[in-house]
């Protein structure tokens, strides 16, 4: 028994030792974020503000409660609170001596001061904490415009010092600017940013507004009233009061909310000036404005990424950067955006800027990418299948509405008036109300095709029976075997960025009209990534001698915005030739008319027999007698 216990103890001891060695061998795998932060150069920094407290300060309950008080309070109703009237009069007089506002005692003002002291002491404790950060910003902006610094208390009434406050009518920010007013004062508003919530920029706009209103009324009490109800309502109240211009004399003729607005402002000023005397102590301050700084952002990043990198709570980032609506600092090429941080975090950011942006890029690379069309031409032999965009005709019907005309309908579906008339058997440019018009449009679809095995490259020099060959000086009449191979198969080209039909046709030795014909295109517009056929599917040349080109005039239907000069430049001809071929007396052309833009007046003779050109009449007769057979394929139509 003793031997068995000793053996068991020895086995346990050995197992513990082996297990501890295995644990020692395991290395903790660091995440990419931890590896980035591990390389940071850190200094001794003060602790961050508690995130829960920051969140509480940004809640909208204080704004909602204070806003409701101002709307519903009855300043004529007496409030039971221990504040001697004589003492209040003395304090108001002392405030009046230091202020350009008319701060005079009256029962209405006494009632609203007592109401705030009785019901809103806790609210003012929080407001005093917030004022440590916001008031220096307000005072700087107001001083620049020579506006009384007491106006800073107006932001308490407007938004309860909450830059995210939004009223029921859409007024936003510390100073409650409406959308149009914000735009009027150059406050940028887009999907990412709302500068009405930016403390600096909105304060500058508010100071500018106050200056303009004072130039109109010449009285700061009336400026406050106009800020709440608009200058028009203040002007009407002055007229209804017989021309009196003291706020307290015209108050009864102002809107109901404005009647309590200025008294609420003065009551707020009193409580901020005498909060110690009433036992109101500021709550924990979020942060002093002078202990923060800004840094320009060079790559879009979210508050979550910044929080993870710098160990700053998202709530504090929201509090310091309230103008970013989606908790994202965007990056625009032509506009700078700044991030406000505590100064010690600014030091961390600037010391590790490259590493921070590397982490942001890493996060961006991990995001799912949008669908991208695969090129129709494979670049290697690894993939056996590829996708291909092809354009096919599609028939639609449009019911003519009142006021419609063929031109508008043609523009809507990117077709020509001539085509509309041909498809619907119309002889005139007018169309009756309620008629259904047949419209054939091009529709791009993506299909999967098997790749051909990789072979030796063949120069893409496709010889076809077209106007370009008939009008050029052909060096010889013999078609090489390589040319025959190219002609026996259809060739495709994937549209690249910056391409147009003109340069594609030039690069592949074909004409624009041929590309349009082979791909059923009604105009010269092409889609990026589309696959274009650039060799005639019907061409199957079995002989080594080129046949006589078919002699046909090339026609063009005049589109909206065309003129004779543009058409001549497009088809490489002269204005005089266009006028002669189409019997035009001047440069005017009608929308939808058909013009001859190239004449087949020359043909290539067989060099073995002659090297000269015949007369036009002989060529015409040769062209008439030449016939071409075409075998109908599945899906073909006469059109």
């Amino acid at each position: 028994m003793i031997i068995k216990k000793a053996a068991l103890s020895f086995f346990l001891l050995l197992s513990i030792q082996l297990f501890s060695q295995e644990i020692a061998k395991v290395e903790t795998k660091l995440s990419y974020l931890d590896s980035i932060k591990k390389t940071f150069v850190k200094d001794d920094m003060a602790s961050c503000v508690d995130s829960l407290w920051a969140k509480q300060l940004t809640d909208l309950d204080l704004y909602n409660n204070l806003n409701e008080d101002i709307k519903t309070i009855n300043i004529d109703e007496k409030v039971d609170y221990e504040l001697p009237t004589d003492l209040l009069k003395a304090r108001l007089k002392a405030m009046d001596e230091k202020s350009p506002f008319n701060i005079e005692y009256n029962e209405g003002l006494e009632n609203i001061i007592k109401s705030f002291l009785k019901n809103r002491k806790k609210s003012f404790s929080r407001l005093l904490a917030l004022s440590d950060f916001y008031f220096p910003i307000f005072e700087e902006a107001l001083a620049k415009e020579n506006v009384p610094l007491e106006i800073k208390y107006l932001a308490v009434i407007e938004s309860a010092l909450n830059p995210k406050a939004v009223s029921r009518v859409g007024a936003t920010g510390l100073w409650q600017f409406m959308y149009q007013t914000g735009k009027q004062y150059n406050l940028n508003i887009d999907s990412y940013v709302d500068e009405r919530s930016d403390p600096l920029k909105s304060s500058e706009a508010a100071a500018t507004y106050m200056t303009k209103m004072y130039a109109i009324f010449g009285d700061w009490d009336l400026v406050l009233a106009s800020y709440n109800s608009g200058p028009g309502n203040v002007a009407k109240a002055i007229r209804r009061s017989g021309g009196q211009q003291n706020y307290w004399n015209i108050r009864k003729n102002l809107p109901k909310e404005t009647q309590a607005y200025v008294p609420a402002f003065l009551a707020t000023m009193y409580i901020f000036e005498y909060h110690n005397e009433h036992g109101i102590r500021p709550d924990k301050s979020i942060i002093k404005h002078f202990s923060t700084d800004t840094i320009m952002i060079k790559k879009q990043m979210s508050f979550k990424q910044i929080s993870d990198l710098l160990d700053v709570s998202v709530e504090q980032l929201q509090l310091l950067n309230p103008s970013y609506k989606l908790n994202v600092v965007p990056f625009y090429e032509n506009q700078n955006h700044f991030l406000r941080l505590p100064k010690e975090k600014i030091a961390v950011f600037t010391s590790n800027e490259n590493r921070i942006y590397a982490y942001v890029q890493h996060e961006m690379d991990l995001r799912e990418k949008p669908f991208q069309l695969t090129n129709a031409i494979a670049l290697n032999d690894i993939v056996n299948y590829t996708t291909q965009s092809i354009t096919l005709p599609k028939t639609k019907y449009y019911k003519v509405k009142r006021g419609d005309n063929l031109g508008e309908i043609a523009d809507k579906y990117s077709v020509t008036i001539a085509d509309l008339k041909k498809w619907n058997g119309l002889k005139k440019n007018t169309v009756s109300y309620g008629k259904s018009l047949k419209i054939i449009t091009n529709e791009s679809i993506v299909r999967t095709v098997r790749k051909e095995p990789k072979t030796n490259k063949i120069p893409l020099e496709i010889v076809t029976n077209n106007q370009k060959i008939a009008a050029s000086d052909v060096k010889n009449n013999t078609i090489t075997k390589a040319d025959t191979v190219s002609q026996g198969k259809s060739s495709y080209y994937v549209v690249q960025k910056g391409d147009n039909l003109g340069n594609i046709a030039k690069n592949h030795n074909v004409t624009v009209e041929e590309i349009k014909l082979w791909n059923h295109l009604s105009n010269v517009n092409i889609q990026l990534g589309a696959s274009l056929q650039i060799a005639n599917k019907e061409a199957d040349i079995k002989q080594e001698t080129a046949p006589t080109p078919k002699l046909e005039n090339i026609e063009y239907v005049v589109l909206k915005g065309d003129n004779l000069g543009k058409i001549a430049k497009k088809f490489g001809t002269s204005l005089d030739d266009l006028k002669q071929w189409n019997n035009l007396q001047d440069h005017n052309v009608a929308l939808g008319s058909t013009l001859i833009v190239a004449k087949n007046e020359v043909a290539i003779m067989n060099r073995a027999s002659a090297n000269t050109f015949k007369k036009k009449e002989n060529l015409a007769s040769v062209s008439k007698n030449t016939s071409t057979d075409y075998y109908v394929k599945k899906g073909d139509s006469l059109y």
Side-chain angles (χ1 to χ4, degrees):
M1 188 70 181
I2 296 173
I3 296 172
K4 187 183 287 187
K5 287 183 179 180
L8 182 62
S9 300
F10 177 78
F11 177 77
L12 288 173
L13 184 63
L14 183 63
S15 299
I16 292 170
Q17 187 176 1
L18 290 172
F19 182 72
S20 63
Q21 289 176 356
E22 288 296 323
I23 292 176
K25 291 178 182 178
V26 175
E27 292 183 1
T28 305
K29 187 176 180 180
L30 294 176
S31 68
Y32 188 78
L33 172 63
D34 294 331
S35 64
I36 287 288
K37 293 174 66 174
K38 195 174 181 181
T39 64
F40 278 5
V41 179
K42 292 188 177 181
D43 303 321
D44 292 331
M45 296 174 288
S47 60
C48 295
V49 176
D50 180 60
S51 62
L52 292 177
W53 173 238
K55 188 176 187 303
Q56 186 180 1
L57 289 177
T58 55
D59 282 343
L60 289 172
D61 61 333
L62 181 58
Y63 162 73
N64 293 330
N65 294 336
L66 195 61
N67 195 259
E68 189 64 27
D69 264 5
I70 295 170
K71 288 179 182 177
T72 58
I73 196 168
N74 181 6
I75 65 174
D76 297 322
E77 182 181 345
K78 290 192 175 183
V79 179
D80 184 19
Y81 186 81
E82 292 183 6
L83 177 59
T85 301
D86 292 338
L87 178 61
L88 178 61
K89 286 181 179 180
R91 289 175 178 174
L92 291 175
K93 183 179 179 182
M95 288 170 56
D96 184 60
E97 290 172 354
K98 299 185 291 181
S99 172
F101 290 91
N102 299 315
I103 308 175
E104 298 179 3
Y105 170 83
N106 60 69
E107 289 185 5
L109 179 57
E110 181 179 8
N111 291 333
I112 199 169
I113 288 173
K114 287 182 176 180
S115 175
F116 281 173
L117 289 171
K118 183 178 181 179
N119 304 313
R120 291 283 166 218
K121 272 193 174 183
K122 288 185 177 179
S123 297
F124 277 95
S125 293
R126 286 173 61 184
L127 290 169
L128 284 164
L130 289 165
S131 68
D132 283 347
F133 179 76
Y134 289 114
F135 275 9
I137 301 174
F138 300 161
E139 290 169 351
E140 182 181 5
L142 296 169
K144 283 182 182 177
E145 296 291 336
N146 201 25
V147 174
L149 299 185
E150 289 87 348
I151 294 287
K152 65 188 178 184
Y153 298 116
L154 188 64
V156 178
I157 303 301
E158 286 288 344
S159 63
L161 298 182
N162 191 331
K164 292 289 188 180
V166 180
S167 74
R168 57 181 176 81
V169 294
T172 301
L174 290 161
W175 299 95
Q176 292 289 281
F177 279 106
M178 295 295 289
Y179 181 89
Q180 293 298 338
T181 310
K183 287 288 189 180
Q184 182 182 349
Y185 285 89
N186 300 319
L187 297 178
N188 181 40
I189 305 168
D190 60 29
S191 297
Y192 279 107
V193 180
D194 190 342
E195 290 183 347
R196 292 178 294 174
S197 297
D198 186 301
L200 276 74
K201 294 183 178 180
S202 64
S203 298
E204 291 171 358
T208 304
Y209 180 90
M210 299 293 178
T211 303
K212 290 182 178 180
M213 289 301 102
Y214 185 75
I216 295 172
F217 295 107
D219 182 274
W220 288 110
D221 290 341
L222 296 183
V223 169
L224 293 180
S226 69
Y227 194 87
N228 178 253
S229 64
N233 284 324
V234 175
K236 283 184 277 187
I238 291 172
R239 292 191 187 98
R240 289 167 182 160
S241 304
Q244 297 186 72
Q245 296 186 23
N246 182 282
Y247 170 80
W248 295 99
N249 293 333
I250 70 169
R251 188 175 70 87
K252 62 183 178 180
N253 292 315
L254 288 168
K256 186 176 180 180
E257 183 180 335
T258 313
Q259 292 180 21
Y261 188 74
V262 173
F265 167 80
L266 296 174
T268 301
M269 187 190 305
Y270 169 84
I271 293 174
F272 267 81
E273 291 290 330
Y274 292 98
H275 63 88
N276 286 325
E277 286 77 357
H278 291 284
I280 301 175
R281 299 288 180 266
D283 284 334
K284 179 183 177 183
S285 177
I286 51 166
I287 195 170
K288 302 290 185 182
H289 182 260
F290 57 77
S291 64
T292 67
D293 202 353
T294 59
I295 187 165
M296 190 176 75
I297 296 301
K298 301 173 184 176
K299 188 182 288 290
Q300 179 173 305
M301 57 177 62
S302 68
F303 284 4
K304 177 66 168 58
Q305 291 171 331
I306 298 167
S307 175
D308 290 341
L309 288 163
L310 302 182
D311 295 324
V312 182
S313 68
V314 171
E315 289 79 15
Q316 188 176 9
L317 291 171
Q318 291 172 334
L319 215 153
L320 296 178
N321 302 275
S323 61
Y324 298 122
K325 297 159 65 174
L326 304 179
N327 288 349
V328 172
V329 186
F331 175 76
Y332 306 157
E333 288 293 341
N334 58 348
Q335 190 176 344
N336 296 328
H337 290 105
F338 297 88
L339 177 69
R340 182 171 291 278
L341 293 168
K343 282 189 175 179
E344 66 271 14
K345 299 301 180 183
I346 289 286
V348 178
F349 194 107
T350 52
S351 299
N352 305 279
E353 197 166 8
N354 293 335
R355 299 180 181 91
I356 288 173
Y357 289 132
Y359 172 71
V360 172
Q361 185 62 49
H362 171 76
E363 291 274 288
M364 190 177 297
D365 292 340
L366 293 177
R367 293 172 58 187
E368 183 178 352
K369 302 296 188 296
F371 171 76
Q372 294 179 347
L373 183 65
T374 308
N375 286 345
I377 299 176
L379 299 179
N380 54 59
D381 293 325
I382 297 173
V383 183
N384 293 325
Y385 292 90
T386 184
T387 58
Q388 190 178 81
S389 177
I390 61 173
T391 305
L392 297 175
K394 182 178 180 182
T395 302
K396 297 180 180 179
Y397 290 91
Y398 175 78
K399 190 173 183 180
V400 179
K401 300 175 183 176
R402 195 178 300 278
D404 279 348
N405 58 62
L406 285 185
E408 291 177 349
I409 298 170
D411 285 345
K412 182 176 181 180
Y413 290 97
S414 300
V415 297
T416 64
I417 295 176
D419 285 340
L420 277 179
K421 292 169 69 177
K422 179 166 58 172
W423 297 331
N424 296 279
L426 301 175
K427 295 183 179 179
K428 299 180 180 179
N429 287 338
T430 57
V431 61
S432 58
Y433 167 71
K435 180 179 176 63
S436 290
L437 293 181
K438 180 181 179 181
I439 300 169
I440 301 175
T441 60
N442 293 321
E443 185 179 63
S444 294
I445 64 171
V446 177
R447 68 180 183 183
T448 303
V449 294
R450 187 176 180 85
K451 288 189 337 185
E452 296 294 333
K454 192 170 182 181
T455 59
N456 293 331
K457 291 185 179 179
I458 299 174
L460 192 58
E461 297 173 356
I462 303 165
V463 180
T464 55
N465 302 332
N466 55 46
Q467 169 67 25
K468 192 166 186 177
I469 295 174
S472 64
D473 184 16
V474 180
K475 293 183 179 179
N476 56 67
N477 284 334
T478 303
I479 302 176
T480 64
K481 291 182 180 180
D483 292 333
T484 305
V485 173
S486 292
Q487 292 182 49
K489 294 173 62 176
S490 298
S491 299
Y492 288 88
Y493 173 77
V494 179
V495 178
Q496 309 295 322
K497 187 175 181 181
D499 277 349
N500 57 59
L501 284 188
N503 62 34
I504 294 172
K506 183 178 179 182
N507 292 339
H508 297 95
N509 199 28
V510 295
T511 65
V512 172
E513 291 303 318
E514 285 177 329
I515 295 179
K516 289 173 65 178
L517 176 64
W518 298 332
N519 294 277
H520 306 287
L521 300 176
S522 60
N523 53 45
V524 295
N525 296 327
I526 51 176
Q527 185 179 359
L528 179 65
S531 180
L532 295 179
Q533 179 190 335
I534 52 173
N536 193 347
K537 289 180 180 178
E538 317 309 331
D540 188 9
I541 302 174
K542 297 180 180 179
Q543 302 176 355
E544 291 191 353
T545 304
T548 305
K550 188 177 180 182
L551 305 179
E552 291 180 351
N553 295 330
I554 295 179
E555 296 180 341
Y556 174 75
V557 179
V558 178
L559 302 176
K560 187 176 181 180
D562 277 347
N563 58 54
L564 213 56
K566 283 185 179 179
I567 297 170
K569 185 176 180 181
K570 182 185 292 185
F571 291 95
T573 186
S574 66
L575 287 173
D576 291 337
D577 285 343
L578 284 180
K579 291 171 66 177
Q580 180 184 350
W581 295 338
N582 295 281
N583 298 321
L584 299 177
Q585 303 300 322
D586 51 31
H587 291 119
N588 296 326
V589 287
L591 177 66
S593 61
T594 303
L595 298 180
I596 297 173
V597 293
K599 274 272 190 181
N600 251 323
E601 297 180 346
V602 291
I604 303 168
M605 301 296 296
N606 193 322
R607 288 185 184 270
S609 59
N611 228 354
T612 58
F613 295 107
K614 290 184 178 181
K615 293 183 179 180
K616 295 180 184 178
E617 292 79 9
N618 295 335
L619 287 175
S621 63
V622 171
S623 178
K624 270 184 189 175
N625 295 330
T626 304
S627 63
T628 303
D629 292 330
Y630 176 79
Y631 295 93
V632 178
K633 295 179 174 56
K634 185 177 179 180
D636 279 354
S637 66
L638 287 179
Y639 168 73

